[in-house]
Amino acid sequence: MDRNEALKIVIATTICTRACFEDCKKCPYYSPERDNGYGYAQCNENFKNKLLKTLVTANPVDVPASMLANQKKSLIEDFKRSMKEQGMQDSDFESYITKWDSDFSKTAGEMIQSSFLIDAIATKMDLHCKSADLDRKFADYSKQTGIEESRVRE
């Protein structure tokens, strides 16, 4: 991805963010069935997910099998915990995992690919956090809160 493509993404994000802030329903990524009263935040999350899926589709990368297996296992464990909290029985859960196995694999792969892409973009655009960035944040926070910078760094 070159600088112009990255700039287009930033511009699209800005346009989406402004539309969401003014009236979330005007945003092209608004989804009424997923609107849970959080409006702007939900719409922005939908946009980010769609953007990442688009980037993954346009820039496929191989995912190591061991990483895929670990990510899939984590997804399934998180899902199981969430479903148990909602009253799902173990027997129902096992059949669900079997039925939706390919979706868990696909989602795990997309998550890993998107993290690879985000890291590659950050490296190419020199967007990694540097010591000077942290120092500036500590100093700003210290000024805003009135807490000594040395205490903020603890």
Side-chain angles (χ1 to χ4, degrees):
M1 173 182 303
D2 66 15
R3 227 174 156 72
N4 288 335
E5 290 175 48
L7 184 58
K8 286 177 188 174
I9 291 169
V10 170
I11 290 169
T13 303
T14 303
I15 291 168
C16 179
T17 301
R18 283 196 184 136
C20 290
F21 187 72
E22 291 168 12
D23 180 359
C24 191
K25 292 179 177 126
K26 290 181 183 177
C27 175
Y29 299 99
Y30 175 75
S31 171
E33 59 275 357
R34 295 185 67 194
D35 188 346
N36 56 7
Y38 293 104
Y40 169 75
Q42 182 64 45
C43 190
N44 209 18
E45 188 65 26
N46 291 347
F47 174 77
K48 285 191 291 184
N49 289 337
K50 186 168 180 79
L51 176 64
L52 284 174
K53 282 189 179 212
T54 301
L55 285 171
V56 165
T57 301
N59 301 281
V61 293
D62 291 330
V63 175
S66 61
M67 286 183 81
L68 182 63
N70 287 337
Q71 184 65 42
K72 181 178 171 183
K73 181 179 175 188
S74 293
L75 275 175
I76 290 171
E77 287 172 0
D78 286 346
F79 183 76
K80 185 174 185 176
R81 184 175 49 254
S82 175
M83 291 296 98
K84 275 192 168 193
E85 289 172 2
Q86 295 178 33
M88 184 180 267
Q89 302 299 316
D90 285 337
S91 58
D92 296 331
F93 184 75
E94 292 305 322
S95 65
Y96 187 92
I97 289 176
T98 303
K99 182 177 179 180
W100 297 102
D101 184 68
S102 63
D103 284 353
F104 282 115
S105 294
K106 181 181 176 193
T107 301
E110 288 172 348
M111 291 172 78
I112 294 167
Q113 288 180 37
S114 64
S115 68
F116 287 169
L117 289 169
I118 289 168
D119 191 49
I121 292 167
T123 299
K124 187 171 185 175
M125 305 301 242
D126 193 30
L127 299 175
H128 291 286
C129 185
K130 298 172 182 64
S131 294
D133 298 325
L134 285 174
D135 291 342
R136 195 170 33 257
K137 282 291 184 188
F138 285 135
D140 289 347
Y141 188 77
S142 175
K143 287 177 189 172
Q144 290 173 358
T145 61
I147 300 171
E148 289 181 35
E149 190 174 331
S150 61
R151 289 196 51 223
V152 171
R153 288 177 178 271
E154 292 176 353

